[in-house]
Amino acid sequence: MNPDLLRLRNQVAKLYLEALEVIRDLLKLLDSDKDSREVLEKELNEKIEVISISRIELINNILVFIARNQPLGLELVEASNLLYLVYDIYRFGRYAREIFLTDKKGVRLSTPELRDLVEPGLKIAVEAVEKSYKAYFENCTWCIEEVRRLGVESDKLYIKQLEKISANKVINNVDAIALLVLRHIERIVDHAERVSTLSTNI
């Protein structure tokens, strides 16, 4: 592989792991400790800012690489994949931020009833992003099917909550927040699925 392309791949892999840490941090919202939540908010905002800035730099660098080197075959596929990956990483951060805002402005995810509804989904999101990383950057072929399975589980959680709300004329705030969080989780897992399938192109 072209050394410049390999360098870009390593930079994207590093940023992917940063996004994974952001997703993992969401599990900390299940803890009701107020002081730790304030620290978490600061750290989360800093990490998402890094992802946002790095995303722009990486996209520009990948496009410059393509323009200068005019890669063909597998190198062109890899460069193209990296552009998709950078976008997926950005979406991981954005959805994580939205989940944090629902905790801050809506109902705390540590609220027992809400925690029971969203904790399984958050764990699915973490596992899906972990395994999609392994699928692409570590050539873990069995991880691809695992991410698909997690996608099905995530969809079921979201649809179950949607059907629960649809069956009731009066919706309480816990159920509404749970639906919103599970929707964001479903989108995170969808992006993880796309990443894992990209690995089949290289």
Side-chain angles (χ1 to χ4, degrees):
M1 183 182 292
N2 182 297
D4 289 336
L5 183 58
L6 181 58
R7 177 178 53 81
L8 289 168
R9 177 186 169 92
N10 291 337
Q11 290 174 352
V12 173
K14 182 178 179 181
L15 192 63
Y16 204 102
L17 292 175
E18 289 284 344
L20 173 57
E21 284 304 310
V22 170
I23 304 298
R24 286 175 176 157
D25 284 345
L26 294 175
L27 288 171
K28 298 176 183 178
L29 294 174
L30 302 175
D31 182 2
S32 60
D33 182 43
K34 181 179 178 181
D35 292 335
S36 65
R37 182 175 268 98
E38 291 176 355
V39 173
L40 177 61
E41 179 176 8
K42 182 175 182 296
E43 292 177 348
L44 190 63
N45 286 332
E46 289 174 352
K47 290 175 183 177
I48 292 174
E49 182 66 17
V50 167
I51 289 172
S52 181
I53 293 172
S54 298
R55 164 182 171 254
I56 296 171
E57 293 177 353
L58 276 169
I59 288 174
N60 288 338
N61 290 339
I62 294 167
L63 292 175
V64 167
F65 169 82
I66 293 173
R68 286 179 176 172
N69 295 274
Q70 298 183 8
L72 298 172
L74 290 179
E75 288 194 347
L76 178 58
V77 172
E78 175 69 10
S80 176
N81 284 350
L82 293 180
L83 287 172
Y84 284 116
L85 284 166
V86 171
Y87 175 73
D88 291 318
I89 291 168
Y90 172 71
R91 296 313 302 173
F92 288 151
R94 292 297 300 174
Y95 288 124
R97 184 175 184 276
E98 291 301 317
I99 291 173
F100 185 83
L101 284 177
T102 60
D103 174 90
K104 183 178 180 180
K105 302 293 186 179
V107 180
R108 295 294 192 192
L109 300 190
S110 59
T111 303
E113 185 181 355
L114 181 56
R115 176 176 180 149
D116 290 342
L117 292 170
V118 302
E119 184 173 13
L122 288 174
K123 289 181 176 178
I124 286 172
V126 171
E127 187 177 354
V129 177
E130 287 175 344
K131 284 190 166 63
S132 63
Y133 175 88
K134 291 179 180 179
Y136 193 87
F137 292 102
E138 298 178 4
N139 299 316
C140 176
T141 54
W142 64 268
C143 290
I144 299 172
E145 188 56 40
E146 279 295 292
V147 176
R148 288 197 188 101
R149 178 185 62 80
L150 293 166
V152 171
E153 291 184 17
S154 174
D155 289 344
K156 285 180 179 178
L157 289 175
Y158 172 66
I159 292 171
K160 180 180 178 182
Q161 186 64 19
L162 182 60
E163 289 174 343
K164 178 182 178 183
I165 285 181
S166 299
N168 294 282
K169 293 182 178 180
V170 179
I171 303 172
N172 63 49
N173 56 356
V174 167
D175 279 334
I177 292 296
L179 181 66
L180 185 59
V181 171
L182 290 172
R183 175 57 174 166
H184 292 322
I185 288 170
E186 187 263 345
R187 297 305 301 144
I188 288 172
V189 178
D190 273 356
H191 280 278
E193 284 189 81
R194 185 171 79 157
V195 170
S196 66
T197 57
L198 283 175
S199 65
T200 62
N201 296 332
I202 56 177

